[in-house]
């Protein structure tokens, strides 16, 4: 799919998923149920710089028409997201989970590399 950059971060969408619960791939007993439903964006995040970068899932925003949603940090953490260190030249896949009203159709994710950065829109 599309790839966008912000600073030394490179982002692309690997896949998406939705459901009423998220379950840790490491421990099936660690799960969280959504208030609405979870929409999970699996991002490929690369580092084109010369120093390690820290990706924070909590900075990302999901867009659905005029609505904007913040990540569910606990659900993202259960899926291996949250805080991810990416070494120079590496690319990792990480999950960002959003708890959205049932029937929401997300159109894009606004990705952010650094806190306070402008962010870049990435179509879903």
């Amino acid at each position: 799919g599309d790839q966008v950059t912000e600073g030394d971060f490179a982002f692309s969408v690997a896949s998406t998923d939705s459901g009423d619960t998220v379950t840790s791939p490491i421990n099936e007993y660690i799960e969280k149920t959504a208030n609405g439903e979870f929409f999970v964006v699996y991002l490929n995040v690369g580092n084109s710089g010369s120093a390690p970068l820290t990706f924070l899932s909590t900075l990302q925003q999901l867009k659905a028409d005029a609505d904007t949603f913040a990540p569910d940090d606990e659900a993202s953490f259960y899926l291996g997201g949250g805080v991810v260190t990416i070494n120079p030249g590496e690319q990792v896949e990480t999950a960002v989970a959003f708890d959205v009203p049932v029937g929401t159709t997300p159109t894009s994710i606004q990705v952010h590399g650094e806190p306070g950065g402008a962010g870049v829109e990435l179509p879903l």
Side-chain angles (χ1 to χ4, degrees), residues 53-58 73 76-77 80-86 92 94-95:
L53 296 173
T54 302
F55 172 81
L56 304 171
S57 64
T58 197
D73 293 328
S76 296
F77 178 77
V83 179
V84 180
T85 300
I86 307 161
V92 300
T94 188

Side-chain angles (χ1 to χ4, degrees), residues 2 12-17 39-43 61-64 98 105-111 121-124:
D2 295 342
S12 63
V13 175
S15 63
T16 62
D17 196 10
F39 188 84
V40 181
V41 180
Y42 293 90
L43 289 172
Q61 295 180 317
L62 188 70
K63 306 280 184 152
F98 299 87
T105 304
T107 52
S108 64
I109 184 169
Q110 187 176 41
V111 291
E121 205 82 10
L122 187 56
L124 294 173

Side-chain angles (χ1 to χ4, degrees), residues 9-72:
F9 286 91
F11 300 96
S12 63
V13 175
S15 63
T16 62
D17 196 10
S18 60
D20 57 357
T21 61
V22 295
T23 305
S24 167
I26 299 168
N27 183 338
E28 66 186 67
Y29 298 107
I30 297 176
E31 68 178 19
K32 183 172 184 183
T33 302
N35 293 320
E37 66 183 342
F38 284 116
F39 188 84
V40 181
V41 180
Y42 293 90
L43 289 172
N44 292 317
V45 184
N47 178 351
S48 63
S50 59
L53 296 173
T54 302
F55 172 81
L56 304 171
S57 64
T58 197
L59 299 177
Q60 315 317 307
Q61 295 180 317
L62 188 70
K63 306 280 184 152
D65 297 323
D67 296 321
T68 301
F69 301 95
D72 184 306

